Amino acid sequence: MLYQSDVTQFINQLKQQKPALEAEQRSGRALLWDKQPIDLEERADQQESRVQQTPYVYYQNF
């Protein structure tokens, strides 16, 4: 048997105790990190419709 660190043994034991753990992790990642592809035409329209902001916002009336 090859050497396995304590961490690897713990992870393998955890996976045996909770077989659905990886699926739960993937669903959590999809919820928080995975994003839908960007529609480039829609993004261009959004950028064109933005109102330009003055360089120094707080003192516009001088």
Side-chain angles (χ1 to χ4, degrees):
M1 180 175 194
L2 297 174
Y3 169 77
Q4 288 186 343
S5 69
D6 293 337
V7 175
T8 304
Q9 291 175 10
F10 171 75
I11 291 173
N12 289 338
Q13 183 182 15
L14 186 63
K15 286 181 181 180
Q16 287 176 354
Q17 291 174 355
K18 295 184 174 185
L21 182 65
E22 287 187 50
E24 292 172 6
Q25 288 177 327
R26 289 197 175 115
S27 67
R29 175 195 162 143
L31 178 67
L32 297 175
W33 294 101
D34 295 342
K35 304 294 181 195
Q36 295 294 324
I38 297 172
D39 183 7
L40 297 178
E41 291 178 9
E42 182 179 343
R43 176 172 264 191
D45 291 342
Q46 289 173 351
Q47 287 178 345
E48 286 177 9
S49 65
R50 289 186 65 168
V51 175
Q52 291 295 324
Q53 186 173 355
T54 58
Y56 204 69
V57 183
Y58 300 110
Y59 297 104
Q60 293 180 1
N61 297 328
F62 291 113

